Amino acid sequence: MIEYLVFAAVFGLLLLGVHRKVIARIQTRPGPPVWQEILHALKFSFKSTWVPKTASGALYVAVVLIGIGIWSAALFVVLAGESILILFAIYMLHKVVEHGYGLSSGSPYGKFGGVRSVISAASEIPLFVTIAAIHLFTGSLILRDITAYQGIHGPLLLIAPPVAIAMYIVVLSKMPYGPFSIVESKELVSGYKTEHFGVWRAGLAVTDGLKTFVLLYAFVAIFIGAVPFWAALVIMTAVLISLSFVCAITPMLSPFDSVTIQGLITGLMLVYVVCLWWVMP
């Protein structure tokens, strides 16, 4: 399990490096090397580390450890093929952790980032409808049952493309430099991460790497099905590049617009699920 955790964190950070590179190239900038996020994590690991005077010491440290812990648990859920309900619950719990990052430091930038993390909870709403649609098709929320269904009937990506699109937008909302990245907009410096530095910032980098790997791997498993591990990594990279393209050409939305669009997506998905429930035997 430790080997999987290390690999997932490193590969996730590499994907985030590819993400930055693709965005830069689309915007006609050279961009950093693809391993830049890995270098950042290593660099912060050896930087001076302490707790700011304005911070709540216990919470300031605990939220970093909790962030690593919940995404390590999410990785285990995905690899073991357990319930996607648990996976999505962990995804939503991360929103509480983001709020803790911002409030724990005492920095006004961090506090605004934490508050915006609550506002951006609208990005989680489509998850509920996505779960309902997946259950209507497969009759289960267990990941191994979902992949088994796809082995017989084909990928859910082709059977229920609106559901895949909704999940795609949920993953997009967690990508940095994207249209829904309101917790890290420029007026907030680094948002909820502003006052975490040294080894604590390295811990946040590990969390981001794990989160990116888990979300992309889960997307592949849920909507494409069981594929060899190397093929899953290739597909994850392709999905990430498509996300990077969207981020590169789309401006960051205001908090109000972000919530409005996510609410609209949820409404459309509700109509889709009701129609499915009506016509399916």
Side-chain angles (χ1 to χ4, degrees), residues 30-244:
V34 295
W35 52 83
Q36 187 63 54
E37 297 301 315
I38 298 174
L39 296 180
H40 277 324
L42 293 174
K43 175 186 71 176
F44 283 119
S45 298
F46 297 99
K47 289 282 188 178
S48 298
T49 301
W50 65 91
V51 177
K53 291 177 64 176
T54 57
S56 170
L59 182 61
Y60 181 88
V61 175
V63 287
V64 177
L65 302 179
I66 293 172
I68 296 173
I70 62 173
W71 285 108
S72 298
L75 178 65
F76 175 78
V77 169
V78 172
L79 293 178
E82 296 298 330
S83 174
I84 61 172
L85 201 59
I86 300 175
L87 175 63
F88 290 159
I90 292 172
Y91 176 89
M92 298 180 69
L93 180 60
H94 180 74
K95 189 61 61 181
V96 180
V97 176
E98 284 183 349
H99 193 56
Y101 290 149
L103 296 185
S104 66
S105 68
S107 164
Y109 299 110
K111 288 179 180 178
F112 275 110
V115 170
R116 285 195 177 182
S117 73
V118 176
I119 296 174
S120 66
S123 65
E124 276 80 39
I125 298 175
L127 279 176
F128 297 106
V129 191
T130 301
I131 290 171
I134 291 172
H135 190 272
L136 280 175
F137 278 104
T138 65
S140 176
L141 293 178
I142 304 299
L143 186 55
R144 54 180 172 269
D145 293 340
I146 296 171
T147 55
Y149 172 90
Q150 293 177 98
I152 299 172
H153 299 90
L156 280 175
L157 181 66
L158 302 178
I159 298 173
V163 184
I165 292 172
M167 182 64 183
Y168 182 89
I169 294 175
V170 169
V171 178
L172 176 64
S173 70
K174 283 300 177 188
M175 298 303 296
Y177 319 110
F180 302 108
S181 302
I182 60 175
V183 297
E184 297 177 348
S185 55
K186 292 181 179 178
E187 70 269 20
L188 300 183
V189 190
S190 296
Y192 59 79
K193 300 179 182 178
T194 301
E195 292 295 324
H196 278 79
F197 49 89
V199 71
W200 313 125
R201 188 58 173 265
L204 294 186
V206 171
T207 301
D208 288 340
L210 288 171
K211 177 184 66 178
T212 302
F213 183 93
V214 168
L215 291 177
L216 290 171
Y217 191 85
F219 182 86
V220 172
I222 293 171
F223 293 104
I224 296 179
V227 295
F229 188 66
W230 64 268
L233 298 181
V234 172
I235 298 171
M236 288 164 60
T237 305
V239 173
L240 175 101
I241 291 173
S242 70
L243 290 165
S244 303

Side-chain angles (χ1 to χ4, degrees), residues 249-262:
I249 64 173
T250 309
M252 185 178 294
L253 300 171
S254 68
F256 173 79
D257 290 332
S258 177
V259 172
T260 301
I261 290 177
Q262 295 290 358

